[in-house]
Amino acid sequence: MAYQNRNNRSNYNDVEVEVGQQFKMTIKKMGINGEGIGFYEHKLVFVTGAFTDEKVVAEVTKVYPNYIKAKAVKINRVSEDRVEPRDSYAGTVGGFELESLSYPAQLRFKRDLIKQALEKFQPQGYKNFKIRSTMGMEDPYEYRNKAQFPVRMKDGKVIAGLFKEGTHDLVDLPECSVQYPATMKVMRKIVEFIQELEIPVFDESNNSGIIKTVIVRAALNTDDVQVVFVTNTPKFVKKGFMLKKIMMELPEVTSVMQNINPGDSPLIWGDKTLHLAGKDTIVEKIKGLSFELSARAFLQLNSIMLPRLYEVAISALELTGNEKIVDAYSGVGTIGLPLAKHAEEIRGMDIIPEAVEDANHNAIINKIRNAYYEVGKAEDLLPEWLEEGFKPDAIIVDPPRTGLDDKLIDAILKSAPEKFVYVSCNPSTMAADLVQLTRKYKVDFIQPIDMMPQTPRCEAVVKFTRK
């Protein structure tokens, strides 16, 4: 097989493929990013904008040694699951990849993602795993509790929205059907204020300007709203005028913060966060408990489905009230603290100091005295606790998309708590982790939960029993 990357051409089985070339193909299934998958002359092709069983005209966008990336430019046979999206920019920016797919089909797809991941990594006994139907929303819109929009100037107008896939071309989002309405109302008013006050926004061409990103987070159950201005410099010109406008025209905003992130960094957040007005935190209520959230604290984007996710995870632990529990990747304690009344002791950890501070504070304000959180990596702290003689009866993990660190898996297998639940946000890394975990644990069930409708992202709760 000859491959000429520098010319963006591929020669595979004597068939030459190049960027811009078009060909007809049938979509066989869908991949982890919501793209259609098929074959052209025996070569694997990933096609954005195409669904299972559709016949499309695909246009090559990039060529790799073993596969091709393409986009659907014409659909000759339309899937019966294809629907009209609510958002005009669906398919242009990220976060709406499946908005043209009916919701029942989205739920089936997410269950299939887990099956695909298990078939790829083949953990012990995977063919007998009970994979439940995906738990979905009654209304799969207006669920995102946080809008995190870059702000730029375009044709003399301040815009805020999301970048086109793979570019730095910002698409203005005056409306967004998946955002909680309060976040969009506040976001559009803030953009209006920036325009009126002529506050310089970030210019990537020379790293100038002040406001880079506006973040709005709204609490579903308390009506608190927080605004964070991510700025290129500590200096925030006309800050006083901005705060006055917020106070006068957006009384629902209870917290205003500034995060400083200088230069053209790919990261949204900088290290320093300043308090500008109102409270330092906002309060969300989950399963009867109050949680104070600082600006950088992680909370699942879907507050509507969050209690259902936790109900599955908590019931899967089958607690008696006598267990010592490790709450790994704990965030602000939203999983661990509701467990406290069912346990003897909760020990949790997270790498973000503000999250750990919030978790310990949340334990105090909820009068929980048997929960303690520490700053550090789960893969470092759990082995330390085991060395000190702490032996957990149960563990619940809610790792990032990268999955569990090998060192943490070793510590889990060494301590081998009887009860173990894994909350996953990435079927691929979950399936990879199961290869090692199934050496000592049997998988009782996997429950997919749709926390992010209209996207290919899928959460899942795995219940284990020690062999």
Side-chain angles (χ1 to χ4, degrees):
M1 180 179 72
Y3 173 59
Q4 298 170 294
N5 187 36
R6 63 184 180 274
N7 297 321
N8 231 338
R9 296 162 69 95
S10 173
N11 191 303
Y12 186 84
N13 290 347
D14 299 323
V15 175
E16 200 171 72
V17 180
E18 58 185 22
V19 169
Q21 180 178 337
Q22 295 185 359
F23 45 75
K24 294 179 181 179
M25 60 180 295
T26 300
I27 304 301
K28 302 295 184 184
K29 62 179 182 178
M30 290 171 62
I32 59 172
N33 298 309
E35 71 280 69
I37 298 176
F39 294 89
Y40 173 68
E41 299 292 344
H42 307 293
K43 186 155 187 169
L44 190 63
V45 186
F46 296 91
V47 187
T48 58
F51 301 139
T52 304
D53 294 331
E54 290 190 327
K55 290 183 180 293
V56 305
V57 176
E59 182 178 301
V60 177
T61 56
K62 205 154 187 180
V63 177
Y64 295 89
N66 300 318
Y67 63 95
I68 299 165
K69 282 193 173 181
K71 61 183 178 182
V73 293
K74 187 180 179 183
I75 302 173
N76 293 326
R77 185 176 75 193
V78 178
S79 167
E80 60 184 19
D81 292 317
R82 183 175 285 275
V83 296
E84 191 67 29
R86 290 193 188 183
D87 297 291
S88 59
Y89 38 78
T92 305
V93 299
F96 306 87
E97 296 88 347
L98 300 184
E99 204 179 1
S100 296
L101 189 66
S102 73
Y103 193 53
Q106 290 185 37
L107 298 180
R108 293 194 300 271
F109 160 71
K110 293 186 181 190
R111 181 174 184 267
D112 187 58
L113 273 186
I114 291 172
K115 293 175 72 175
Q116 286 187 48
L118 293 172
E119 286 164 4
K120 177 181 178 182
F121 290 98
Q122 299 187 359
Q124 189 177 353
Y126 77 97
K127 290 183 179 179
N128 297 318
F129 289 176
K130 182 180 180 182
I131 307 170
R132 295 176 174 176
S133 297
T134 308
M135 187 181 288
M137 297 186 70
E138 289 183 19
D139 180 10
Y141 293 95
E142 296 186 350
Y143 66 85
R144 285 181 178 248
N145 57 37
K146 183 165 74 170
Q148 194 164 267
F149 289 177
V151 180
R152 300 290 185 269
M153 184 70 75
K154 189 172 185 179
D155 300 327
K157 180 186 174 187
V158 176
I159 64 170
L162 297 170
F163 293 114
K164 285 185 181 176
E165 290 279 12
T167 75
H168 278 241
D169 184 8
L170 192 65
V171 177
D172 194 29
L173 301 188
E175 297 176 343
C176 182
S177 71
V178 296
Q179 281 289 341
Y180 189 46
T183 65
M184 289 305 292
K185 179 199 169 187
V186 172
M187 178 67 72
R188 297 322 301 179
K189 290 297 287 184
I190 295 293
V191 170
E192 184 183 305
F193 298 161
I194 296 169
Q195 182 89 46
E196 288 176 10
L197 295 170
E198 297 181 345
I199 300 173
V201 300
F202 188 61
D203 183 343
E204 287 172 302
S205 66
N206 55 15
N207 288 343
S208 65
I210 293 176
I211 298 177
K212 298 174 76 173
T213 304
V214 172
I215 300 166
V216 181
R217 176 152 63 180
L220 178 68
N221 298 304
T222 65
D223 297 326
D224 275 0
V225 179
Q226 183 178 68
V227 175
V228 182
F229 295 95
V230 180
T231 61
N232 186 37
T233 65
K235 184 180 179 182
F236 189 161
V237 298
K238 301 185 180 177
K239 177 176 65 180
F241 291 103
M242 172 62 79
L243 296 177
K244 186 174 181 181
K245 277 187 169 292
I246 292 173
M247 183 179 69
M248 297 294 291
E249 299 187 43
L250 292 171
E252 61 266 53
V253 174
T254 56
S255 172
V256 185
M257 310 293 285
Q258 177 186 0
N259 178 265
I260 302 160
N261 186 17
D264 190 17
S265 167
L267 302 175
I268 291 172
W269 293 92
D271 292 331
K272 190 173 183 181
T273 303
L274 307 174
H275 172 244
L276 300 185
K279 301 181 294 183
D280 286 337
T281 61
I282 60 172
V283 176
E284 181 61 288
K285 290 190 175 180
I286 303 166
K287 293 192 69 62
L289 301 179
S290 295
F291 291 90
E292 291 193 8
L293 306 169
S294 56
R296 293 191 63 186
F298 171 77
L299 181 71
Q300 290 274 3
L301 281 170
N302 190 333
S303 297
I304 300 166
M305 289 293 285
L306 192 57
R308 297 184 69 187
L309 171 70
Y310 291 165
E311 282 162 13
V312 173
I314 291 169
S315 66
L317 283 172
E318 297 181 347
L319 299 175
T320 64
N322 301 314
E323 290 87 357
K324 294 177 180 179
I325 303 172
V326 170
D327 176 16
Y329 309 95
S330 59
V332 299
T334 48
I335 291 184
L337 294 180
L339 290 172
K341 64 182 178 182
H342 306 290
E344 179 184 323
E345 180 184 355
I346 306 289
R347 284 199 191 188
M349 72 284 273
D350 200 285
I351 60 170
I352 299 174
E354 297 96 326
V356 171
E357 186 178 337
D358 286 348
N360 284 316
H361 181 67
N362 289 330
I364 292 168
I365 64 175
N366 288 289
K367 298 182 172 59
I368 294 170
R369 295 180 176 84
N370 61 337
Y372 162 77
Y373 291 89
E374 194 171 326
V375 179
K377 294 180 178 178
E379 57 267 27
D380 294 332
L381 287 178
L382 181 55
E384 284 181 22
W385 294 347
L386 294 174
E387 286 290 321
E388 292 167 4
F390 174 78
K391 183 169 175 57
D393 305 295
I395 184 167
I396 185 163
V397 297
D398 186 7
R401 289 186 62 77
T402 49
L404 301 178
D405 185 275
D406 284 341
K407 191 175 169 186
L408 177 59
I409 291 176
D410 289 342
I412 291 170
L413 295 176
K414 179 182 177 183
S415 59
E418 183 182 339
K419 299 172 180 183
F420 178 22
V421 168
Y422 186 142
V423 180
S424 166
C425 61
N426 185 338
S428 293
T429 53
M430 176 196 75
D433 290 342
L434 288 180
V435 172
Q436 295 183 69
L437 293 171
T438 49
R439 298 195 333 244
K440 277 199 177 177
Y441 287 95
K442 178 174 73 74
V443 173
D444 293 337
F445 67 75
I446 301 176
Q447 174 65 71
I449 301 175
D450 191 15
M451 300 295 290
M452 295 185 68
Q454 320 309 330
T455 81
R457 298 281 288 273
C458 179
E459 300 270 334
V461 175
V462 186
K463 181 184 186 302
F464 296 95
T465 299
R466 191 175 62 195
K467 291 180 179 177

